[in-house]
Amino acid sequence: MNPHVGSARRHAKDWAREMGMLSGRGTWDEATFDSDDWPLFAALTHPEATKEQLCGISLWDVCLLALDDYFVAAYKDTRDLAGATAFVERLREFMPLSGRRVPVPANQVERGLADVWARTAPGMPPRLRDRFPDHVVDFARGNLWELDNTLRDHVVDPVEYLDQRRRTAGTELSTGLAAYTLGAALPDELFLSGPLPTLVTAFADSVGLRNDIHSYRKEVELERDLNNGVVALRRFSGGGLQDAVDLAHALYNARIDEFQHTTTRLPAYFAEQSLDATTQASVLRHVKALEDWMAGDNQWYRVTGRYTRNWTTPPREPALGGPNGVGTSAARIAARMRF
């Protein structure tokens, strides 16, 4: 736990209120904001960040999850793909890389994005600052992919789902905020081969699958969303709900095991690539940041009220048809494997 969690909570709540995110219109009211406790999420996933860094990360977490919840209320619930597309493509304008003025915000998400960008971009490593707007837009475009699936009543196969889930889970944003706390981004070439790409992919899959298990009731039974790994695995395995949950959990554990096993390859990789001591230390700090993130994320689910509220809408089992689409046969094989 980051010792500055109290400061982050106060700062984030005051900021969210100022941005209009606590109005209850599309995002939260004060009770749901406190129940979700995104500043606690930031404090658990970034235990070694400074007070200033943690407050900045908390604002990003609040802003990005406000984007997620606003998208559901404004576009998923209304099935407005055209409006959603325009909303997503406009986001980049609120994260200028030069001194260009931003447009007048039309909603609390745009207002918050412009403000948190102006607050934190100057302190980002230059390469991260240049790429961070792309990461935000890519994360938001994942919502477009999900909305398109919903409009077509389409459940993608598990192979495609996991690939896309790495985007909708905000992998680049999570690793980018980790680099923000470290004060530097690793050289691109380290992510082209060797153990680091495997670590990042395993990290992303564990984050997405864990969320899919915890969020199933809220997002599938209540919000009628079919973009969930449990749904994908259930449809393509042909089993019951608990079977699909068990399979998702087994796959989640397999990705954690893959992450842990890959970390043991780092010393040999350092020797093979003749990496200097400074680069080795940077890689190890980056890996430690991912470990902290996974551990903190795991703990946050045990205390947040985001997925355990007393819902007023009765749950409904989703209607699932037979398998179709790319990767169907591979998914059937995976469903019979013991992870």
Side-chain angles (χ1 to χ4, degrees), residues 13-41:
K13 190 170 185 178
D14 289 344
W15 181 83
R17 186 183 294 110
E18 182 183 351
M19 295 299 109
M21 295 175 181
L22 303 186
S23 64
R25 295 190 297 272
T27 43
W28 310 287
D29 56 27
E30 293 207 19
T32 55
F33 181 86
D34 291 342
S35 177
D36 287 359
D37 207 347
W38 296 113
L40 175 65
F41 175 81

Side-chain angles (χ1 to χ4, degrees), residues 95-118:
M95 298 173 285
L97 293 175
S98 62
R100 180 174 53 82
R101 295 181 62 182
V102 301
V104 176
N107 52 64
Q108 60 266 52
V109 174
E110 293 179 351
R111 188 178 304 113
L113 187 59
D115 190 80
V116 71
W117 176 254

